[in-house]
Amino acid sequence: MSSHSREFMDLVRAIGDCKSKQEEDNIILKEVVTLRQRLTERDSQQKMREMCMRMMYCEMLGHRVEFGYIHAVNMTQRTSLSEKRTGYLSASLFLDSDSELLILLVNTIQRDLKSQNPWEICAALSAVTRLIGIDTIPAVLKLVKDCMSHKEAHVRKKAIMALHRFLEISPSAVEDCIDVFKRSLSDRDPSVMGAGLCGLLDLAKKNPAGYTSIVPSLVVILKQIVEHRLPRDYDYHRMPAPWLQTKILKLLAVLGHANQKVSEEMYEVLRETMARADLKTTIGYAVIFECIKTITKIYPQPQLLALAAENTSLFISSENRNLRYIGVDALSAIVQVNMDYAKQHQMVVIECLEDNDITLKYKTLDLLFRMTNSANVEVVVSRMTNFLKATSDDFLIKDLVSKIIALAEKYAPSNEWYIQTMNTVFEQGGDLVPAEVAHNLMRLVAEGPSGSEEQDNELRRYATKSYFKLLPKQNTSDRLIQVGSWSLGEYAYLLSPEITLNAVVDMMCDLLQRNYYQDRNTKSYIVSAITKLVSQMSEGCPESTRALIESYTRARDPGLQQRSLELMQLMKSPEFMRRVLPVDASCEDIEVEEGLPFLDSFVQAAVISGASKYMSEAERRRAFGTHEKTAVQQHAESKLRFDAYEKPQVPSAPRLPSATTVTQPVQQSPVMQAAETPQSVDMNALFAGLSSQSSVQSLQAAPAAPPSQPPSSTPMMNLDLSLSGEEKQSEPALNLLGRKDGGKWGSGGYSKANPAMAPSFAPSSTPANDIANRLHSISASATLPPAAAVRKEPAVDTHKQQLAASIFGGLTEDPAPRGENRSENMLSDLPDTSKDAEIARRLQREGSDFLRMSEIMKEAPPQAKNELLDIFSSGSKPEVVNAGKQTQALDNIFSTPSVSKEVDLLSMPAQSSDLLGPDLISTAPTSHVDATSIYGDVSQTLSSIYSSNQPASIYAASPPVADLLSGPPPSKPSMFDGLSTQPSVAPSLPAANQTSSSSIYSSNLMGPPTTTAPSSSGLFGQMTLAESSTRAPAKEINKAPSNAPQSGPFDDILVSKASQPKVKTTMGLPSDSYLSSIHRSSSGLEVKAISKSTGDNHVLLLTHFCNLGDEDLNVDVAYLIPSGLHCSYGGDPYPAITGDVATLPMLKYGAAASHLITVMETPKTADPKNLEIGFKLKISKNGVPEEEIVQVPINLFSYALFLQPKVMSEQEFGASWAPHRFLLVKSWAGLT
Amino acid sequence: MIKFLIVVNKQGQTRLARYYEERRDLTVEERSAQEADIVRRCLMRGEQQCSFLEYKGYNIAYRRYASLFFIVGADEDENELAILELIHALVETLDRFFENVCELDIMSQLDKAHFIVDEMILNGCVVETNKNIILEPINVLDKS
């Protein structure tokens, strides 16, 4: 026994004497400090071995000692074997195969592998098994191989384990020395042979057929072992080398699996091994257990199986708990082959089931799971649910839930039982239950499994009633609330008169006021259900409900806010609401026509008046192929720009402004062609800003908009649709993904596949099984509906998204269902024209979205038709421009690698969750009268995408970025003049149009299951509505309330339209406005600063403050202007700031305020790129002097943050920042 | 595959820990917390209950010797009974080396205890159970 210093022994004793973890922590914390000090002292070298052990203690007890790692590495170079080994040990405990210090270690390892002292080689080899990674394998591989011929068995054993390690981490690196493992079987040393088995097992698992040749050798070896022919010191409790036996048995199981010939070779030795196992020792049972596992795995032989079953009885009837546990395991293995053997043990099994030992119980449930059939399913599942109720272990719950669901779907004896079981699962499993299960259940209720309407209704009544009882319980899981809300929303009418709709709505209102933490969509589900119920209530909505819903119109969650706003709007017109939300129409089909013939005349008219003709993909390629640029060039060009900004120019020719000044290559899509008409130029100027300006976007629902979209801008707009379709995905929507095969409930679809369905909606009406097929076929032709593409993983976190982005970016062997994501991403990689083509291809596919409208047009009475055409013509011009502008914006996005990443993220569900975006929602109540809104232009979608997760209240409550455009500072009239005239079309629209547009809007946004199937809203509601609004006589439509705003941001614009002459001007490029800074304080105040150069040495800086916290804030802002910089503050509608400190009005939660600063001159001496304006925030909450002073630098000329994904990483901003990114992009678009 | 071997006393204080997965999977702090959690679960189980439990996907087998729990976490391929006996083989080996092993022996000669474990388990596989062969390299150390 080696002697230790007193210091070390004191430490050991102190740790040993600790009575609590706390005490231990204190000692170790002190020790870490001491070590840090001691390691720098000179005499520490003598005591380094002890130092290493002390460091081992610190790490083992949970405290890092990174500062000491290097000493451990150094110690491996000592000559003393003992020190060397301790050095290697501590290095392998401290370091990983990717540690930087490993480089230092490899050299020492190499030297030691060549040592004359076998123990040094062994020490090095031990470290190799732990530390050598893929990168360092080549450095030592040859030396390790050489060790295989070392005369010392210890060395050979460790060397083969080192090779085993290489095999694990990099099979290709050791391909040429696989023979080593086979050869090890004939090594004269049993230990080396045993070590070789580890590698052989791994190899055989990957390629059983390739190793069947070693079976005879294995059989011989096993026979030798069981016949006691190994040296006696290999015995353990009189069993000869039992671990070698189990290893060989494992290998035999792998090699004999499903191979009769090979299996036959081993029957005899298996029998002998079992017979010779000592039943007086535990290890004997271990060997028998391994034999049983092998026998059940290989090609079965009845006698052997009988023997195995007999031995299983020994286990399972034993009083020893461990043996009984193993017995249940063995029985599980045997019932896989023959169910009958379980029967003789049924009483013991039941006993195990009743046992108070959770492990045993759980193992038994696993056995039952394997034995379940349609006869015993009810018992088994009830056992499982009982266990579920008793346990709190998440891991077990998850496992059990999946088992129960599998059984219920496969063997459910009745629908009622299925629903009951699922309810229990939801109740107990909570959010550990996968979302698909909920969707399956909803679909079952919606479709009705029997085919007879009466029986289906009976089932629905049963389900709905059970939910009515279940939901009010406390601590109900979110999933159950979601399923229940949906069912009640759809089918509560079946319960009346027993339970009135009023009672249901009251109950739902109670639910709505609870807190839900698992899933933020839960409340949206509830509001959707209330919406449906209210539409069925003849007496209208109770006042209390209205008040409650009203309060949620300011909710932070955009989805919830949106739904509440929708309901508020719909309630204004009960009759209308009924038509939008027909009762029990969730499974209705919709017929649409694909040819869009109704638009033909419009297209012709547009062409006659100067619009460019639509060019097919091939035509465009021919026309623009020469402009093609490589992705690399694009990338280079999209980098930071240092040259001076160009002044806005008045175009002399009708040419799209972006084409002249854009830095990134512009895609010459047909949309832009359309924009290059004389009329559209000024409109472009007018609407460029408008296009992404939230307040003007008002009620346009992107997916609903297409019908009235002029054909020339069709493609781009359809891209919108695809994006917004994606966004909808992670909204509370029924996910009707087909379940695993064989499921009783998963097979049938509930409606005919409708090939003409708009792609973004298609999955909703497609039979579940069909979806997968469609995914394949669609993605093969790069026309995958995005909604379907993302369907599989409703909630992918950002990390996964990024991973996905990187994977798709590589475009290799992508699974087909991700096709959409990939193509989205590919857009950024493709050269211009192919990008163009890609877009066009997608757009063409999306074009079917127009079909709905074409139907309407066909059926509409002449008058309504005219009105619709009115909409087209009045809106077409700005729309064309908008589309063109947006094309450009899109181009920029796509051609900028980092942004395209954003776009790529968008195609993933989690990010794109909140369907249409809050600006849409928030503006809905204030301005419903915008013709352009009907057309669902690209910008709308962009903005909705980008703002998707942003609490909409920001927009609702404040004049955000967009106001910069409508409220120009006096000093810069030229820039904003055009914009101030923007929505000239809005007031000219007839009321009927307003209504129809708003109706499209509302219907489209309605209901959680918007995109997906069993819902009376969503697609179906929309369709119904669209038809009804067009079919209805004009006078009736006119009666529908107009939601035109009486005041609001529009007023300014409208007035200025009247008073100011239109100025024909082109806008600057998007690239000259930057999101300079973004900051979020701990009290929840979010600050964004956006700078924009005006092209004549003026810089506009817009700071935007928004309270996203939970409490009201008082904020003082002090701007810190560098000397030499002249600024003016304010400018209508922004408050003037006098002095250095501006006090913002009290910011209630969700409220926002903005400042506008015009930086007049930049000092000639200063480098504009480095100029920074700072500001200090003094924040106090509730008058409590809780102060927070933050300084936020604003680089006036820095590039937008979102162009630098690294800066915007999740780590830096936290997950909650993800939505803000989109807002940034949007703001950016708004500024341009 | 054996994923880890830990020796924890009944207060939840780790006395020896060896992981056969990459270190980066869990931080030092997380490992320490997990070890305490596992031993807590072991302690919750009565004498009459079996020596196995399921923990976050690991099949855990444990054995108690006086105040020390020897705990091995493995994947489902491993024969749990054999693992249980492996623990005993390890304890027997420690016992032979330290002559009536006690908690303090393992603590004061932590490196030796690690060497013994390293001789028996490499890459998560049982490589040696012959006590003479296990102890040979370690006895060499003491002589040098």
Side-chain angles (χ1 to χ4, degrees), chain A residues 745-756:
Chain A
W745 312 107
S747 44
Y750 60 88
S751 69
K752 293 198 295 275
N754 191 340

Side-chain angles (χ1 to χ4, degrees), chain A residues 1-2 4 8-9 12-13 15-16 18-21 24 49 53 56-64 69 80-82 85-86 89 92-98 119 126 129-130 152 154 157-158 161-162 164-165 168-169 189 191 194-195 198 205 231 233-237 241-243 246-247 250 282-283 285-287 289-290 293 315 321-323 325-326 329 355-360 362-363 393 395-396 399, chain B residues 1 7 9 11-29 31-33 35-36 41 45 47-60 62-63 75-90 92 98 103-112 114-116 118-119 122-138 140-142 144:
Chain A
M1 200 175 239
S2 56
H4 290 290
F8 178 75
M9 288 314 285
V12 166
R13 262 188 220 104
I15 296 171
C18 284
K19 290 285 170 284
S20 68
K21 182 85 188 143
E24 185 187 270
R49 196 173 142 241
M53 283 170 72
M56 275 156 62
Y57 264 107
C58 296
E59 291 254 326
M60 184 169 77
L61 298 175
H63 298 271
R64 295 190 150 267
Y69 292 175
S80 147
L81 182 61
S82 169
R85 224 183 145 176
T86 306
L89 172 69
S92 55
L93 285 173
F94 297 155
L95 306 178
D96 242 341
S97 60
D98 55 358
W119 303 117
S126 292
T129 60
R130 187 78 188 90
E152 181 61 57
H154 275 286
K157 182 174 71 182
K158 298 236 155 123
M161 288 315 286
H164 175 234
R165 154 91 173 177
E168 274 180 343
I169 56 177
D189 188 279
S191 297
C198 302
K205 275 181 185 164
D233 56 1
Y234 278 95
D235 285 7
Y236 173 80
H237 295 184
W243 286 278
T246 53
K247 247 189 278 184
K250 266 196 186 66
T282 312
I283 192 70
Y285 280 101
V287 172
F289 176 48
E290 201 61 56
K293 285 212 284 190
F315 283 98
R321 295 276 151 173
N322 290 340
L323 294 187
Y325 171 87
I326 294 294
D329 215 357
D355 205 288
N356 64 356
D357 183 342
I358 291 188
T359 314
L360 188 56
Y362 190 71
K363 200 71 175 179
D393 185 319
F395 190 85
L396 296 188
D399 187 51
Chain B
M1 272 287 281
V7 180
N9 72 9
Q11 277 96 35
Q13 295 161 322
T14 311
R15 293 294 169 245
L16 186 146
R18 206 78 167 104
Y19 286 83
Y20 298 98
E21 290 172 304
E22 289 278 311
R23 183 187 163 95
R24 62 181 91 89
D25 296 343
L26 280 177
T27 67
V28 166
E29 295 81 5
R31 280 186 177 175
S32 180
E35 285 155 13
R41 286 169 191 248
R45 299 175 58 77
E47 296 278 322
Q48 291 306 304
Q49 300 188 335
C50 64
S51 308
F52 311 108
L53 62 104
E54 187 130 352
Y55 180 79
K56 291 185 182 168
Y58 296 116
N59 279 343
I60 287 181
Y62 67 94
R63 257 183 129 135
D75 62 15
E76 69 242 4
D77 278 356
E78 251 357 276
N79 181 331
E80 285 148 307
L81 220 44
I83 294 291
L84 207 58
E85 286 303 291
L86 178 72
I87 293 176
H88 194 65
L90 169 66
E92 282 181 0
F98 289 112
E103 192 174 335
L104 194 65
D105 286 332
I106 296 176
M107 290 181 72
S108 63
Q109 305 210 41
L110 187 62
D111 52 348
K112 301 279 171 57
H114 267 290
F115 294 152
I116 290 174
D118 273 359
E119 291 297 325
L122 274 180
N123 296 348
C125 302
V126 183
V127 286
E128 191 60 81
T129 49
N130 181 331
K131 295 186 188 77
N132 293 335
I133 298 179
I134 294 169
L135 293 180
E136 194 182 346
I138 296 143
V140 168
L141 287 182
D142 274 354
S144 68

Side-chain angles (χ1 to χ4, degrees), chain A residues 292 296 305 308-310 312 329-339 341-342:
Chain A
I292 295 172
T296 54
L305 267 178
E310 202 179 295
T312 303
D329 215 357
L331 204 55
S332 299
I334 288 185
V335 296
Q336 306 279 62
V337 188
N338 190 334
M339 200 70 125
Y341 290 113

Side-chain angles (χ1 to χ4, degrees), chain A residues 645-653 655-662 681-682 684-685 974-975 1063-1069 1072 1094-1095:
Chain A
Y645 302 110
E646 284 177 53
K647 272 193 173 181
Q649 291 169 355
V650 178
S652 52
R655 195 185 150 107
L656 191 74
S658 56
T660 59
T661 43
V662 131
V681 174
D682 61 333
N684 181 30
S974 65
M975 174 184 163
V1063 176
K1064 290 192 178 181
T1065 175
T1066 58
M1067 292 298 297
L1069 292 173
D1072 65 354
T1094 60

Side-chain angles (χ1 to χ4, degrees), chain A residues 38 54 63 107 118 229 270 390 557 611 658 700 825 865 982 1081-1082 1142 1145 1187:
Chain A
R38 290 297 309 275
R54 288 163 74 173
H63 298 271
N107 212 348
R229 290 208 235 142
L270 287 173
D557 179 70
S658 56
Q700 76 188 86
N825 195 28
K865 210 170 205 161
Q982 10 183 286
S1081 78
S1082 61
E1187 291 208 342

